[in-house]
Amino acid sequence: MIKISPSILAADFGDLRNQIKLVEDAGADMLHIDVMDGMFVPNISFGAGMTAAWRKDSKLFFDVHLMIESPERYIEDFVKAGADHITVHVEATKHIYRCLQYIKSFGVSAGVAINPGTPAVMLKELTNITDMVLVMTVNPGFTGQKFLPDMLTKIAEVRKMFPENVPVEVDGGIGLGNVADVVKAGAEVIVAGAAVFYAESPAAAIAELKKCGK
Ligand code: DX5
Ligand code: ZN
């Protein structure tokens, strides 16, 4: 059974408490929190302060995706804010192995992400220290972008590289039209922004994604 992690980057920013409750009540498995610094990606989103505020109202598994330069500077803040899982980009730090160790030292699950232009081989030394691996299927920065079909082979390659108990998460441009393709390639955790929050019924969208991805 796949897991759905709705990305609040696509939610109504003026109504986030209710938007989070909506997907929590609808059976979302996680909440995907996209943190952007305007440096690693050309957009700025939200930080640890907002994450801590959402933590007070939600029991969802907080899946924090850091799209920031030198993420080690902010790991502790996100741990304190209540993150359950923290993903850092292999491209964003000089010391990815140390950074993953550092996340785990707080007892928090650690993830590594790769951009579309980065080959899977960059993850090779990280297979035993990673709890979940994220394959970007758009160039990171914005919600509502078009899925890059070239990433399907990378998803399959990454799935083969990591132990079976390390889930492959896919992120960007995924909806009802392609969820079956990414699952067939090996994805187990589906991030969905526009496909959930732009839908007339986010609850129905989550249920449909789960059904199509079976
Ligand atoms: C992109 C983010 C994604 C994105 C997903 O930089 O990491 O999580 O918001 O949104 P959709 O599903 O709309 O591409
Ligand atoms: Zn993301």
Side-chain angles (χ1 to χ4, degrees), residues 120-155:
V121 69
M122 292 301 287
L123 303 170
K124 193 168 164 278
E125 306 306 328
L126 309 172
T127 55
N128 291 326
I129 193 171
T130 301
D131 297 305
M132 181 156 77
V133 53
L134 188 158
V135 178
M136 284 305 309
T137 46
V138 297
N139 290 304
F142 302 94
T143 186
Q145 300 183 81
K146 212 167 164 295
F147 176 79
L148 298 168
D150 281 351
M151 296 305 118
L152 286 170
T153 48
K154 199 202 290 191
I155 296 166

Side-chain angles (χ1 to χ4, degrees), residues 29-32 55 59-63 84-85 109 132:
D29 300 286
M30 305 181 186
L31 187 71
H32 190 77
R55 182 75 291 171
K59 291 199 165 34
L60 274 169
F61 183 92
F62 276 12
D63 166 29
D84 295 292
H85 175 83
S109 165
M132 181 156 77

Side-chain angles (χ1 to χ4, degrees), residues 7 32-34 65 67 134 136 171 191:
S7 165
H32 190 77
I33 300 175
D34 284 309
H65 179 192
M67 284 161 277
L134 188 158
M136 284 305 309
D171 186 7
V191 176

Side-chain angles (χ1 to χ4, degrees), residues 81-102:
D84 295 292
H85 175 83
I86 300 177
T87 292
V88 290
H89 271 258
V90 71
E91 305 89 353
T93 171
K94 290 194 178 83
H95 295 285
I96 185 67
Y97 199 97
R98 179 190 285 157
C99 194
L100 293 168
Q101 283 179 317
Y102 185 50

Side-chain angles (χ1 to χ4, degrees), residues 18-98:
N18 291 320
Q19 297 265 286
I20 293 168
K21 187 170 175 353
L22 184 75
V23 291
E24 184 158 12
D25 292 347
D29 300 286
M30 305 181 186
L31 187 71
H32 190 77
I33 300 175
D34 284 309
V35 178
M36 303 179 175
D37 65 353
M39 293 294 287
F40 183 69
V41 291
N43 193 7
I44 299 175
S45 59
F46 20 73
M50 291 179 77
T51 305
W54 302 325
R55 182 75 291 171
K56 287 189 194 137
D57 291 324
S58 174
K59 291 199 165 34
L60 274 169
F61 183 92
F62 276 12
D63 166 29
V64 175
H65 179 192
L66 297 182
M67 284 161 277
I68 63 178
E69 292 287 353
S70 304
E72 48 279 347
R73 295 173 298 150
Y74 292 99
I75 302 296
E76 193 170 357
D77 289 355
F78 280 95
V79 170
K80 286 189 181 142
D84 295 292
H85 175 83
I86 300 177
T87 292
V88 290
H89 271 258
V90 71
E91 305 89 353
T93 171
K94 290 194 178 83
H95 295 285
I96 185 67
Y97 199 97
R98 179 190 285 157

